[in-house]
Amino acid sequence: MLAPPVTGAPWAPNMPLPGSSKENSREFRRSRRHRTALCLLGGAVASHRLCSQRAAVRTRRRIRELAAVRTDEATSRFVTWMDSSSIKRSAKLEILPDKEGRCVVCTQRFDRGKLLVQLPAAAAISVEMSPEAPLTPELKALEPWWRKHPRSSIRLAAKLVFQREQFGPYIDMLYPLEQIYAPWRWKEQDLQFLPQSLVLKAQARKEALEAAYQDLEQEGLSDAIPEDLFLRAHHAVASRAFAGEGEVPSSRAAALAVGGLSIFAAGSAAALGVTSVDFAAMAGAALMAASGAVVVTSQSPQVLSLLPMIDQVNHRSGAPPDLQFDPTNGLWQLRATRAYEPGEEIVFSYGDKDSDALLLQHGFVEEDNGADQLRLMVPEAGSFGLSAEVKSELAEAGIEELCFDGSLEKLPVSKRSLTEVVEATLRCAAGDCRRSEDAKVAQEVSSPGIGRVLLCWRGERRKLLKAAATQWQVEDLIAEIED
């Protein structure tokens, strides 16, 4: 069929409609712009919807992939044991494998304040932190050894393994020795890449554990408490135990203070420079009480506790756990501190710890840790430009270490001396942390796992050194660090 003949000039989009006025032309253009805007908006909405759909698909795929490999035998036994021990967890949670161990992942949206885990007191493992604490009847066989070793962290590790018939599936969830990367497990070839201050602390912990186990052997308890399980249990205590005010009845775990939260992650006092698990736990509980955030039962003993399932949650800087004890029903309750989307890992903070504290106590380092700070030992006089005169001035003031947390200007030394010691200390530390040495470190350490942790620690140390060099105007040091 032929088209009708065209009369007059063809119409174009920027021309008024035939027979329209100038005003009608303006109205048309406005209408056209409006339609164009609507089209663009509709496209953006559609694009956003498509991106959301793709993200949801990726999340579901990640959950399926993780679920496909989640059912290792240890996790299956642990889940069965939790059910038999009346440990309740949200149906929206899964224990899944991650790069180095396991993690707790949310499989459906989870709202803030909702209950994550509920743990009866009888399913926890606790000891009093007082060296004079009486031994409970079921541990009577440990009495001579117990009196000789007052550290609650070592006692709790021994108690857990001694009662492994009751807590076996939980013990199976602990890290195997080859995956414990805390420096007390390192060999000499690994320790050479750490500052001497960290090496001494790691060696002190190792020696304490060796002495404790030698005494267990002498008491004829090596069968009841095998060495590998004892060391694994101690790492769990050192990295995941909680401390607070409470009581430890013979067959029950800690019943903490009535009326409020009285719990704090062991090691929470790292900001005070406390590195012993026992001292850190006691100081952490004291900090909580001093803050007025807790109501403490008078004359309640200090306790150190392992809380199965709750301690499966990994660390990330930020909010501490919303963990409370219901004394009426004898239940621990862990609640979400924020909303979680499907596929997100449930995490909470083990305390404000810098990279050194995380490495020593837990065996990992967190990237871009908001609580990180630089602590460096002052070098010897005559090295890195530090004069004997300034070194003597520091010694008189009792200064052996510098903490780059904004408080250096308050040190009781002259401004000239402070500038000199800061530059010397930074130059000393930079020599041990050059980026060009990373490849050598990775080749010489005893295992790939230790290599990953050590390289991460070195990377975070470089960030702190560069920030300090910039603040104190030692600009040429940055190039040396990145060399």
Side-chain angles (χ1 to χ4, degrees):
M1 182 177 178
L2 296 176
V6 176
T7 58
W11 176 81
N14 60 347
M15 294 175 59
L17 289 172
S20 66
S21 64
K22 187 175 182 181
E23 287 75 13
N24 286 340
S25 176
R26 291 196 192 98
E27 185 65 28
F28 176 80
R29 287 196 296 271
R30 282 195 296 271
S31 176
R32 180 172 174 270
R33 287 195 296 270
H34 180 66
R35 288 196 302 273
T36 302
L38 286 176
C39 289
L40 292 173
L41 179 60
V45 170
S47 176
H48 175 73
R49 186 180 297 116
L50 181 60
C51 289
S52 299
Q53 291 171 347
R54 288 173 176 170
V57 169
R58 287 195 298 269
T59 297
R60 288 193 294 270
R61 185 185 301 124
R62 169 173 164 74
I63 292 173
R64 286 196 301 270
E65 290 171 351
L66 290 172
V69 293
R70 76 173 185 271
T71 52
D72 62 279
E73 291 184 6
T75 301
S76 297
R77 288 194 300 269
F78 180 60
V79 170
T80 302
W81 175 80
M82 283 195 293
D83 293 338
S84 66
S85 302
S86 300
I87 300 174
K88 297 181 180 179
R89 68 195 186 285
S90 169
K92 298 179 180 181
L93 301 183
E94 290 279 3
I95 303 174
L96 302 177
D98 64 6
K99 294 178 180 178
E100 297 292 349
R102 297 179 179 88
C103 59
V104 179
V105 173
C106 184
T107 58
Q108 301 177 44
R109 178 175 170 80
F110 208 93
D111 294 329
R112 178 182 178 182
K114 293 294 184 180
L115 185 66
L116 292 164
V117 182
Q118 182 170 280
L119 176 82
I125 311 99
S126 301
V127 296
E128 289 188 27
M129 296 181 67
S130 169
E132 293 78 28
L135 200 62
T136 52
E138 69 272 16
L139 302 177
K140 201 67 176 176
L142 301 180
E143 188 169 10
W145 177 88
W146 195 272
R147 288 198 305 266
K148 190 173 181 179
H149 294 277
R151 286 191 180 184
S152 56
S153 57
I154 290 178
R155 286 178 170 181
L156 183 54
K159 178 180 179 178
L160 173 61
V161 180
F162 189 73
Q163 295 181 319
R164 67 182 181 278
E165 184 174 342
Q166 178 182 353
F167 295 102
Y170 171 66
I171 293 174
D172 290 342
M173 295 290 285
L174 304 181
Y175 279 96
L177 287 179
E178 62 270 16
Q179 289 184 9
I180 296 176
Y181 303 133
W184 64 268
R185 287 284 302 158
W186 293 12
K187 299 178 179 179
E188 290 296 328
Q189 68 194 80
D190 308 319
L191 292 173
Q192 66 173 317
F193 298 110
L194 287 180
Q196 188 64 15
S197 58
L198 298 189
V199 172
L200 292 175
K201 292 173 183 176
Q203 289 175 336
R205 177 167 293 182
K206 181 179 180 180
E207 291 168 3
L209 289 172
E210 288 176 346
Y213 197 76
Q214 286 174 3
D215 289 340
L216 283 171
E217 289 179 320
Q218 290 177 2
E219 295 291 338
L221 294 167
S222 57
D223 290 337
I225 305 177
E227 184 176 13
D228 63 327
L229 294 184
F230 175 71
L231 295 177
R232 291 170 62 194
H234 182 269
H235 178 67
V237 173
S239 60
R240 293 175 182 259
F242 294 83
E245 300 277 349
E247 54 185 72
V248 189
S250 60
S251 62
R252 297 180 61 194
L256 294 199
V258 177
L261 175 63
S262 180
I263 194 75
F264 211 77
S268 57
L272 302 179
V274 180
T275 56
S276 161
V277 177
D278 297 63
F279 288 146
M282 295 183 72
L287 284 174
M288 287 292 285
S291 71
V294 298
V295 179
V296 183
T297 304
S298 61
Q299 298 182 338
S300 293
Q302 297 266 347
V303 295
L304 191 66
S305 304
L306 287 168
L307 306 179
M309 185 57 199
I310 291 173
D311 60 16
Q312 292 296 313
V313 178
N314 288 325
H315 164 83
R316 187 169 300 164
S317 294
D322 180 1
L323 178 62
Q324 300 196 30
F325 184 76
D326 174 5
T328 303
N329 299 305
L331 295 172
W332 294 96
Q333 294 181 331
L334 177 68
R335 297 183 180 276
T337 56
R338 66 173 180 85
Y340 286 90
E341 296 299 326
E344 276 195 274
E345 182 183 358
I346 306 294
V347 293
F348 56 64
S349 173
Y350 292 177
D352 290 337
K353 303 181 184 182
D354 60 23
S355 292
D356 291 355
L358 288 175
L359 179 64
L360 283 171
Q361 194 168 345
H362 302 274
F364 66 80
V365 177
E366 183 182 11
E367 292 187 18
D368 300 318
N369 177 7
D372 211 356
Q373 59 182 234
L374 187 63
R375 293 177 179 271
L376 301 174
M377 296 300 296
V378 175
E380 295 298 323
S383 61
F384 302 96
L386 183 62
S387 65
E389 177 186 357
V390 172
K391 180 70 174 182
S392 176
E393 184 180 353
L394 294 169
E396 290 177 4
I399 301 170
E400 298 179 349
E401 181 184 70
L402 299 184
C403 182
F404 292 78
D405 59 355
S407 63
L408 287 179
E409 290 84 353
K410 299 177 183 178
L411 293 178
V413 296
S414 66
K415 186 175 181 180
R416 183 190 66 81
S417 297
L418 179 60
T419 301
E420 182 177 313
V421 69
V422 164
E423 180 172 348
T425 302
L426 289 175
R427 293 193 183 281
C428 177
D432 297 328
C433 230
R434 292 188 182 93
R435 186 180 298 275
S436 59
E437 297 291 318
D438 283 357
K440 175 186 176 183
V441 171
Q443 290 177 352
E444 295 189 9
V445 292
S446 61
S447 78
I450 291 176
R452 287 192 297 272
V453 172
L454 186 52
L455 290 180
C456 186
W457 178 85
R458 288 170 62 87
E460 296 307 301
R461 173 62 66 99
R462 279 195 291 269
K463 293 177 186 177
L464 295 174
L465 284 170
K466 289 191 289 186
T470 300
Q471 178 186 354
W472 289 89
Q473 300 180 353
V474 193
E475 302 292 349
D476 63 302
L477 195 62
I478 297 177
E480 181 181 343
I481 294 169
E482 292 296 336
D483 179 24

